[in-house]
Structures are given as structure tokens and as C-alpha cells.
Amino acid sequence: MVGIKSYGAYIPRYRMNHNTIFGAVGFLGTFPTPGEKSVANHDEDTLSMAVAAGIDCINGLKREQIDGLFLATTSQPYMLRQNSAIVAVALDLQPTIRIADFIGSSKAGTSALVSAFDAVKGGTSSNILVCASDCRLSKPGGPQEHLYGDGAAALLLGNEGVIATLDGSYSVSYDFPDRWKTSAEEFEHAWEDRFIRDEGYAKMIPEAISGLLKKCNLNIKDFAKIIFPGIYAREHAAIIKRLGAEPGQIQDTLLDKVGDTGAASPLMMLVAALEDAKPGDKILVASFGNGSDALLFQVTENIKKVGDRRGVKKHLALKKELASYERYLAFRNLAPMDTGMRGEMSLRTPMSALFRERKAILSLCGSKCKKCGTPQYPFQRVCVNPDCGAVDQMDDYRFSDKNGVVFTYTGDNLAASIDPPAIYGFVDFEGGGRFWFDFTDCDLDSVKVGMPVEMTFRRRYLDEPTGVYGYSWKATPVRA
Amino acid sequence: MAEGIKDKVAIIGMGCTKFGELWNKGAEDLMVDAFQECIEDAGIDKKDLQAAWFGVHFEEQSVGKGATSLALALKLPFIPVTRVENFCATATEAFRGACYAVASGAYDIALALGVEKLKDTGYGGLPGGPGLMGTKNALIMPKLTAPGSFAMMATRYFAVYGLSPEEGKKMLAKVSVKSHYNGSRNPKAHLRREVTEEQVLNAPIIAWPLGLFDCCGVSDGSAAAIVTRADMAKKLRPDPVYVKSLQVALSSGEELMYTKWDGAHVETGYRAGVLAYNEAGVKNPRKEISMAEVHDCFSITEAVTMEDLQFSPRGRVKDDIEAGRFNLDGEQPIQPDGGLKCFGHPIGASGLRMLYEMYKQLQGKAQMPERQLKNPKLGLTHNMGGFPAMNIVSVAIVGL
């Protein structure tokens, strides 16, 4: 049986109230609905959030069994250089996997999902991880600014031990020019909302859902949960009514808590539905963007065996308000902030070294001495244990999935940072090993010697002359 | 143990510029100034120099690569000149090169000179930069700064020895107050104003828990020494100062990547100290070392160095600081010249600047009589370069 084996999600720590946006740029005339949106930290982007959701999804599972990774997004950092490759290395997946980027539409998340199912069903892959992530950049003051949020979802698809089977899908595809952006542009354009709403949103989603119901010979009332993105709240309710569904069947769109996360939206809602699902539940998922993909799932008994996942629920609960719109502008590099001359120094990234050292930099792999068992980061040829010193007796050893404790730390006001003080320190890993790391998603006052931390994959820098985004791992207080 | 160089080499001349924000002087000017004082003090002719060692750390900010800049600036007489770099121990490395060359018998008279022009960087603090630690480290290390990396040692010291941040900061404040007291009495120092404990405690935080006055200045400067064979020294001047030991220890990676280090001391500091005491024949450093100039880039560095060099028992430096042991009128004066705290830290010059103070004190010629210590016998200098978790420490002991 082909279906979903595991799920995970990620929502950034920061939330910004719509009123904060209104207070700063409301003079431009955009009146937001009540609510808040998730905001990626300054060191987060599509890829870092995809990795975080992926980690949540594969927590406790064998990474070696994964033979494919599909990344879906509308906000990929690279136009040339496969974005899913960076996510795959960060997740320390095998190099023998197949990878693909699904881009260009907010429908990309479900498109990736359907393609992954086809691959598993066709027998060319056994376990494919689908990560959908979006960190959508909008022009300050525009109507998208409070509508869009940042987040990611991940689903592991396979053919055994599934928690929900995929029992059918139906797609409609149109060159619907609601939103567009050329590869040379920073911000998207949109046509009139009434056009998008009436010709696209309100027609294409029901068309896909009705097609699926007919194809699978089902009634809308058969579903425990119906999921589709809610970029127009009033029209969302109207579609439900027209489909003949009851309000209780409708999955929360997360619009007033997270915002519309583009390619990730329907998948994040699916994760939220699976968190509450019971065996036998039928779940319907439809996307929107250049048409719609509708998917039919049926939850199995295995849903009870899903390990501890942060998913949508726990991430929703772990939040901190970003009360300053100006900080948000700084986080997204939307205003030319002065971080001093030190901040102007840029690393000319040596790409050959980046490739050679990819296990250390992107996978957070070090080594473990076969002779004395000492874990060490980064990979050492000569064992660092002074009583051992064995040479070339090392196995690869992954630190990204090990927690640790703060050995020491500081909050540095001199270091160039868009969010000073730069907090960094030493981490002593459980099971051995020590290194120094930047700390993120924490406040200086809350950091203490001995505090438990976990590792998180983040964007570290932008090397502007070479157009390289640098990524590596940081430490962050263990989230509950 | 190897034979060592105790009493084989003598310093017969030294020079040191005023340290500070020397906007109107280039690195070459500072080299000439330090050298002129040095060679006049030695009373020899430039053509008597047979070899030179030149220390500079941020060569791009100062003089460029190689050692030609020294030969060109001083118009040296076609002798070999070697440029050395070893983080904050750079000047001491230059001195070590000159001493070892003379001790080996290869040369009779050699020059060591160090310089750094930090104020051409355009900002406060050390230049740093992403490439400073090499390609791989630049890609995996946090964006550490010098105050941040030493602040982590302060955080750890407080945790290991159970000091509250308030108690810890108070202990460190006394270190800076003492050094400012000394520096205010030194015409060559950069910062020449006394500070109070309250000023130190209330200063803005640079890197928690270190505030502005826990950090040394950022200065330009140069210092130089001329060394000769011990058996020739007395013929050249009546009061040469002899080199008793010169030792260096470097991190193995154990502190950073293995979990044994307690983070509240500098392992290389202890190791270099032990090596230096063995070479010099010092049995009880707390009693035998008359005075020291140690690497007080930050107040916490000086505090743990007192323990690393065995001037204070582990975890007990607070008692000695509070008792005034390291004050100018204390039992074991530390930083009689004001230290890095008041001289700033032009990296390539600091080690020789420290030796300059020891040399003058041993000769009884400290500038301004109120700074002159009574009958010092052995003076120690100590440099620590890099980060507390990954570094080099040099220790030199000189005496009469």
C-alpha cells in the first residue's frame, strides 16, 4: 500500500501581528485582517526550513532507507544549483538518492507529492521524502505582506507501514496568470484580486475536488477533513458551502496564525490534520496555483504508532512576537542596515572547498575513532584524544541529530550581526564531542551553562560578490 | 630535557615607541622609531647587525608580506631578515628567532623587531575577518571576535568556581583598575587615565560578561631588541639583561574538540609556563618571579594567567587580586607598565613591548621613578595568541 509513512513540519519562532505591519506601512492603504504571521529569522530561508521539517519527519527513522528527496517551493534561493541537493546533504542522505526541485507555483507541494507517489507506486523508489517550504518575500506595504507566512512541511512516502494510504488524485492545470515573477526579479506581481478569486481560486479548487470525488466515486460527506489553502477567507467558506461540506469537516487554514505558506500550505494543513486523525478517516487535500491537485488519503491503524513529532501543533505553540517591523525588514534584507565595516567583510566562498568539506559544513558530520570511540568534530585524521592519537582510524559520525549542553557562551556586541548581540558558545554533545557554534532562536538572558541545546541548519551568510548563500549548523535551546 | 638557552644570550639594547592611535605614522615610521631607540641604547653601529627577525601579524594592514619592509625601512646592511607570525606571540617569536640564532653561534649580534598598525583598519577591535582561520574554519566556525572568545572563558570561569556574574565582574574590574593605575604613570602608554571600579562595572557590554574596560585598547606601536652572545654582552654595555628561558606551547585541538578541558584556564599557558620554569631553573614561580607582563588582552585573561603561571592557586586568583598582590606596590607586580590594557595590542609589537618593560625595570631605569620596582631579579613576559580554546602561548623569562 502506497502512502504516507511519517510527517513533520516547521514554523519559525517569530510571529508578527498584522497590526505591527499596519502600524508601519498602513498609510499605503492596505487594511489587514486580524491575526499574525510567522516570520523566518534572519538566518532562515526556504532550505533551512525544509531541513527542519525534514528532520521532524524522519526523527527516529533510518535515513539510509530514503532513496529520494523532492523539494517544493516558490522561493528557492538558487536558480542554478539544485536546491534539493543542499537539503539532501544537510539531512545527510545517501548520495545514491534521486532528487528534484518542484518550483514555480504554489501548487508545487502537491505536485511533488503526486510525483513521489507515482515513483513509489511504479516501483522505481521505495521511500521518498517530500519537503515543501516557502519563505515568501513580499514588497513592503503590499497586500501580500500580511497574507504570506513562512513555514515548511515534510512527508515521507513509502509502500509499507503507511499511516495514510493515497487512494486517488485528480489534477487540473491552467496557465493562470494570477501571480508571476521573472527570474531576474526580487518581488512578485499580482493581477487584480477579484480576478484571482473569481476566475481561479473559486473555480479551480472545486473543479479538482469534484473531479476527484467523481473519479473515486465518493461523496464530500465521506471526509473527516477537507483541506485547501485559504488565501480568501470569505471565499474559502463559500467554497465549502458550495461543495456541501459541513464546517466541522474543514481543516483550519492557519491563515491568521502562520499565513499562506505557498507551496507548503496544503501540506502543512495535511500534517495538522494527521496530528488529530483516527484510523479510517478520509482526508481530502487540494492545492491552488496554476490549477489544482486534489488528493485522497485514508488513515490507517499505523497512525497510532507515529513517534513524537513537533508537527504543526507544537511549533504553533512555540512562538515569540516580533514587535518591530524594522527588524523584520532587516531580517529579510529589505532595508540597507549598517552593521559596520566588520559587517562588510565577506567570505569569498571557495566552492571546491565547499564540495570537499560538504560533510562537515552541510551534514554536520565529524568522525568517531574506531580505536577509542571518541566522537570529534570536524572530521579528524589524527584522533584528538591525547591518550589515543590513532591515525586514519575514523568512521563518519553525524552530530546534527545529537543534542548537547552549553559548555560556555557569550553575547557579542562587537561581532557584525543584523540581530545583536551575536550569541555563540561551546556545545558538549551527548555521547561525546565538543565544538563551538553560533546560537540562534534564543535570547542572551535565557542562555545558561549546562542548558540543553539541539542543532539547527541555518543560512549563515550571503557572499554577495559571488552570489553564494552559506549554510551551516547552529545550536538552539531544545524546543519542548 | 634539552640543554636550553639559559644565560647564553643577552639583551644589549631595546627600543619602544609610544603606543596609541598614531594617525600620522605609518608602520615603517614606527619601525624606524623603535629601532633608533634600540640601537642607540645598544651603542653599536648598524653594520654590526648580522641578522634580523621581524614580527608582524596583520601584514596586509601594516607592511605587506615578506621581510623586505624591515630591511628597506631601516636600510639594513644586506643581512638575512626573517618575517615571523604566530598570532599574539608574534613579537616574542621574532625575539626567539634572534636569540636562537645567537645561541647557536651562527651570529654574534641579531635584531628582533615587531610592529603593527591596527588603526589603518577603519574600526575598533581587531580586524579579524572570515579568512583569518583558514578555509574550512571560515565555513564552520561561528563569527567569533576576540572579546567574544575570551568572554566565553569568563562565563566558564564564573560557572566552574561558583562566582555569580556580579562577583565575577567585580573580581575582573579590580584587574583593570590596577592596570590603568600603572598605565597612567607611563608616558609610552596609550591609555593614561585611572579608572574606578564603578566605571569598569558600569561600562557598556562588549561581549557578555566583558565590558569596555575589561578589554584592552586598539593601538599602533613597535618595539625592538638587540641580542648578543652572553660572553660578549658585558663588553658592549655594563648592565645587559640575560635570557633565562624562552618557551612556546600550542594547542593540540584537545581543548576545542575533546571534552576534558574545563574552559576556565588556558592549557597552553600552564604548559608553556612549566617549560619556561624548567629551562630557567625556577622552582617556585610565586616566590621567584619578581614581576611580569602578561597577555591581558581582556581582564579575564590576566586573571586565569595568574593561575596558569602558578602565581595563584587554581580558582583562587580572586583572593590574590583582592589582597593587592599584583599591584605596583604588591608582592608580585603584574603589568607594571600598564599592560595591554593601557598599551593596546598592536599584535606584532606586544611581546617586545613587554620585554622592554622587564629590561628597563631590571636595569632600574623604568620611566618615571614611581613605577620603578625595588630590586627585581626575574621578569616574565607572556603572550597568548588565538582563542582560549585554540591558541599559542609564549613565556620568556629574563634576569640579571
Side-chain angles (χ1 to χ4, degrees):
Chain A
M1 292 285 265
V2 179
I4 296 169
K5 290 175 76 166
S6 179
Y7 60 79
Y10 180 75
I11 302 168
R13 176 190 190 222
Y14 283 115
R15 308 300 146 76
M16 185 160 61
N17 195 289
H18 293 172
N19 286 331
T20 304
I21 304 172
F22 185 72
V25 290
F27 66 90
L28 289 164
T30 304
F31 296 94
T33 51
E36 59 186 14
K37 65 178 248 170
S38 58
V39 174
N41 205 341
H42 63 89
D43 56 2
E44 294 188 295
D45 70 358
T46 298
L47 303 190
S48 73
M49 293 193 299
V51 171
I55 287 173
D56 191 35
C57 179
I58 62 178
N59 180 16
L61 303 175
K62 278 205 179 75
R63 296 177 192 219
E64 293 71 27
Q65 66 175 358
I66 297 170
D67 54 7
L69 175 88
F70 292 174
L71 172 71
T73 182
T74 67
S75 52
Q76 69 278 10
Y78 286 105
M79 291 303 292
L80 178 65
R81 186 179 171 190
Q82 206 168 11
N83 300 280
S84 50
I86 297 170
V87 175
V89 181
L91 290 171
D92 196 22
L93 302 181
Q94 307 288 310
T96 50
I97 64 169
R98 58 161 62 182
I99 55 174
D101 289 4
F102 288 74
I103 59 171
S105 169
S106 53
K107 180 166 65 72
T110 50
S111 301
L113 208 52
V114 171
S115 300
F117 276 122
D118 288 346
V120 175
K121 206 170 178 181
T124 49
S125 297
S126 305
N127 294 286
I128 297 183
L129 182 64
V130 174
C131 294
S133 177
D134 248 327
C135 185
R136 307 174 85 184
L137 200 60
S138 45
K139 216 178 232 179
Q144 281 79 35
E145 198 164 31
H146 66 267
L147 180 69
Y148 287 177
D150 304 329
L155 294 162
L156 181 64
L157 311 185
N159 48 20
E160 53 190 38
V162 300
I163 58 171
T165 55
L166 176 75
D167 295 347
S169 70
Y170 186 87
S171 294
V172 292
S173 300
Y174 295 97
D175 173 27
F176 185 61
D178 55 342
R179 303 180 192 283
W180 64 96
K181 181 167 92 75
T182 69
S183 53
E185 288 176 305
E186 191 177 6
F187 302 108
E188 64 180 40
H189 308 269
W191 204 248
E192 190 186 354
D193 257 336
R194 301 175 69 88
F195 163 71
I196 302 172
R197 187 189 67 194
D198 298 343
E199 283 300 297
Y201 185 75
K203 281 188 179 168
M204 293 170 189
I205 293 171
E207 186 185 354
I209 291 178
S210 304
L212 180 70
L213 295 180
K214 198 174 165 195
K215 184 178 167 184
C216 299
N217 198 22
L218 286 167
N219 188 289
I220 195 74
K221 299 250 191 293
D222 296 335
F223 293 92
K225 277 288 178 292
I226 299 162
I227 294 164
F228 59 95
I231 51 176
Y232 301 105
R234 199 190 295 179
E235 201 60 27
H236 187 263
I239 291 172
I240 293 160
K241 208 172 168 188
R242 265 195 286 143
L243 287 169
E246 299 297 325
Q249 288 176 275
I250 305 308
Q251 183 66 35
D252 176 30
T253 59
L254 302 170
L255 204 61
D256 58 348
K257 302 175 190 75
V258 177
D260 177 44
T261 54
S265 248
L267 275 65
M268 288 178 75
M269 290 163 71
L270 173 58
V271 169
L274 289 169
E275 286 174 326
D276 290 330
K278 297 185 298 297
D281 280 359
K282 283 188 171 60
I283 298 174
L284 196 161
V285 183
S287 54
F288 174 64
N290 309 103
S292 173
D293 298 313
L295 290 83
L296 160 65
F297 293 97
Q298 178 147 341
V299 179
T300 75
E301 285 289 331
N302 290 325
I303 192 79
K304 296 173 186 165
K305 296 186 209 154
V306 179
D308 191 33
R309 296 284 178 268
R310 284 178 186 158
V312 170
K313 262 192 200 164
K314 284 190 185 168
H315 278 115
L316 272 181
L318 300 163
K319 63 174 180 179
K320 181 178 166 88
E321 187 179 359
L322 185 65
S324 153
Y325 182 81
E326 292 79 358
R327 263 176 98 194
Y328 158 76
L329 289 184
F331 283 6
R332 294 280 78 81
N333 200 20
L334 288 170
M337 295 289 174
D338 188 2
T339 54
M341 283 176 75
R342 209 174 249 102
E344 291 163 12
M345 285 187 297
S346 151
L347 173 75
R348 191 85 177 176
T349 312
M351 302 309 278
S352 49
L354 203 59
F355 180 64
R356 183 175 63 245
E357 307 291 351
R358 62 190 180 278
K359 291 282 274 182
I361 300 162
L362 296 181
S363 311
L364 198 69
C365 275
S367 52
K368 187 173 181 176
C369 181
K370 287 184 206 171
K371 210 173 144 203
C372 72
T374 300
Q376 39 211 287
Y377 180 83
F379 189 99
Q380 300 293 305
R381 287 190 60 191
V382 182
C383 180
V384 76
N385 174 356
D387 301 322
C388 177
V391 182
D392 288 335
Q393 297 284 310
M394 293 287 176
D395 288 325
D396 282 356
Y397 184 80
R398 183 167 59 229
F399 284 96
S400 65
D401 54 354
K402 311 285 184 298
N403 285 0
V405 294
V406 174
F407 175 73
T408 188
Y409 70 95
T410 184
D412 188 339
N413 285 304
L414 192 68
S417 170
I418 204 71
D419 192 21
I423 305 173
Y424 51 80
F426 280 68
V427 173
D428 275 5
F429 288 95
E430 60 189 28
R434 167 187 292 171
F435 204 67
W436 45 26
F437 296 97
D438 283 311
F439 291 3
T440 191
D441 283 359
C442 59
D443 306 304
L444 182 59
D445 290 346
S446 66
V447 182
K448 297 281 173 279
V449 170
M451 183 183 81
V453 291
E454 61 184 35
M455 303 308 294
T456 175
F457 183 73
R458 296 294 167 117
R459 182 192 277 185
R460 259 182 88 208
Y461 63 89
L462 167 61
D463 170 8
E464 284 192 67
T466 34
V468 173
Y469 293 111
Y471 296 88
S472 69
W473 292 78
K474 297 185 177 185
T476 179
V478 171
R479 292 192 181 197
Chain B
M1 182 182 164
E3 196 181 309
I5 63 160
K6 184 184 179 185
D7 290 330
K8 289 181 182 172
V9 181
I11 309 171
I12 52 162
M14 286 202 79
C16 180
T17 66
K18 178 174 167 45
F19 279 35
E21 295 177 327
L22 309 176
W23 305 113
N24 61 346
K25 299 226 177 197
E28 289 80 1
D29 295 318
L30 299 174
M31 286 146 71
V32 172
D33 289 351
F35 178 70
Q36 283 310 117
E37 187 193 342
C38 181
I39 196 152
E40 280 162 27
D41 179 47
I44 61 165
D45 194 274
K46 191 158 71 182
K47 68 180 189 323
D48 296 328
L49 294 175
Q50 294 161 350
W53 271 260
F54 174 47
V56 61
H57 173 65
F58 290 110
E59 78 275 8
E60 295 90 344
Q61 244 92 38
S62 301
V63 294
K65 292 198 185 297
T68 45
S69 54
L70 183 74
L72 291 167
L74 304 184
K75 311 296 179 299
L76 293 178
F78 293 97
I79 57 172
V81 186
T82 306
R83 186 175 89 80
V84 297
E85 188 286 313
N86 219 340
F87 283 110
C88 304
T90 293
T92 304
E93 275 294 11
F95 183 68
R96 199 163 73 111
C99 288
Y100 280 13
V102 166
S104 78
Y107 304 109
D108 291 333
I109 298 178
L111 167 74
L113 186 144
V115 71
E116 207 79 48
K117 182 71 200 166
L118 292 183
K119 294 312 297 182
D120 281 353
T121 57
Y123 49 85
L126 289 178
L132 192 65
M133 301 301 295
T135 302
K136 180 153 78 179
N137 281 327
L139 297 168
I140 61 173
M141 268 173 57
K143 272 194 252 168
L144 294 161
T145 66
S149 67
F150 286 84
M152 289 193 284
M153 187 161 68
T155 302
R156 191 67 200 162
Y157 189 94
F158 297 173
V160 167
Y161 295 110
L163 301 177
S164 69
E166 294 71 32
E167 290 170 327
K169 278 185 67 75
K170 221 167 174 178
M171 169 184 96
L172 296 180
K174 290 188 166 65
V175 173
S176 297
V177 168
K178 174 264 301 164
S179 292
H180 271 271
Y181 177 90
N182 298 353
S184 70
R185 286 155 177 76
N186 190 337
K188 290 200 170 186
H190 176 182
L191 306 176
R192 299 202 55 207
R193 204 180 292 169
E194 287 186 42
V195 296
T196 65
E197 208 172 301
E198 288 66 38
Q199 279 176 296
V200 180
L201 290 171
N202 294 327
I205 293 292
I206 301 297
W208 171 260
L210 301 180
L212 182 66
F213 288 108
D214 289 300
C215 307
C216 73
V218 179
S219 319
D220 305 322
S222 178
I226 291 171
V227 294
T228 189
R229 281 164 37 194
D231 59 357
M232 289 173 60
K234 276 269 161 71
K235 289 175 214 147
L236 293 167
R237 74 173 301 141
D239 52 358
V241 167
Y242 295 89
V243 178
K244 305 294 179 183
S245 67
L246 251 179
Q247 292 291 336
V248 167
L250 276 86
S251 284
S252 70
E254 196 179 314
E255 304 102 301
L256 177 61
M257 292 181 279
Y258 197 52
T259 44
K260 240 163 91 175
W261 179 53
D262 70 357
H265 77 285
V266 177
E267 183 62 24
T268 52
Y270 171 72
R271 303 283 183 119
V274 169
L275 290 170
Y277 297 142
N278 286 342
E279 185 175 27
V282 170
K283 301 272 182 286
N284 185 339
R286 188 174 163 93
K287 287 221 171 90
E288 293 173 60
I289 301 294
S290 320
M291 57 183 175
E293 286 285 332
V294 306
H295 197 86
D296 58 328
C297 49
F298 302 95
S299 50
I300 183 64
T301 325
E302 179 174 323
V304 302
T305 298
M306 297 301 98
E307 299 181 8
D308 292 335
L309 294 176
Q310 302 172 49
F311 297 163
S312 294
R314 284 272 179 236
R316 302 286 299 279
V317 71
K318 187 164 170 280
D319 302 343
D320 284 334
I321 291 170
E322 280 168 2
R325 175 181 177 81
F326 307 124
N327 294 352
L328 206 52
D329 59 358
E331 291 161 77
Q332 197 170 24
I334 303 295
Q335 330 296 52
D337 75 355
L340 298 176
K341 181 79 212 46
C342 296
F343 270 78
H345 183 25
I347 307 215
S350 286
L352 281 159
R353 177 226 97 215
M354 295 170 167
L355 271 173
Y356 179 82
E357 175 68 7
M358 297 295 97
Y359 172 81
K360 292 289 183 190
Q361 287 281 3
L362 287 164
Q363 291 175 335
K365 293 176 179 169
Q367 284 165 311
M368 299 178 78
E370 53 197 299
R371 283 202 311 111
Q372 179 62 50
L373 306 174
K374 282 183 205 123
N375 301 317
K377 296 283 183 292
L378 284 181
L380 180 148
T381 68
H382 159 279
N383 302 113
M384 191 215 140
F387 309 104
M390 187 169 76
N391 61 75
I392 166 175
V393 168
S394 66
V395 173
I397 300 174
V398 292
L400 297 170

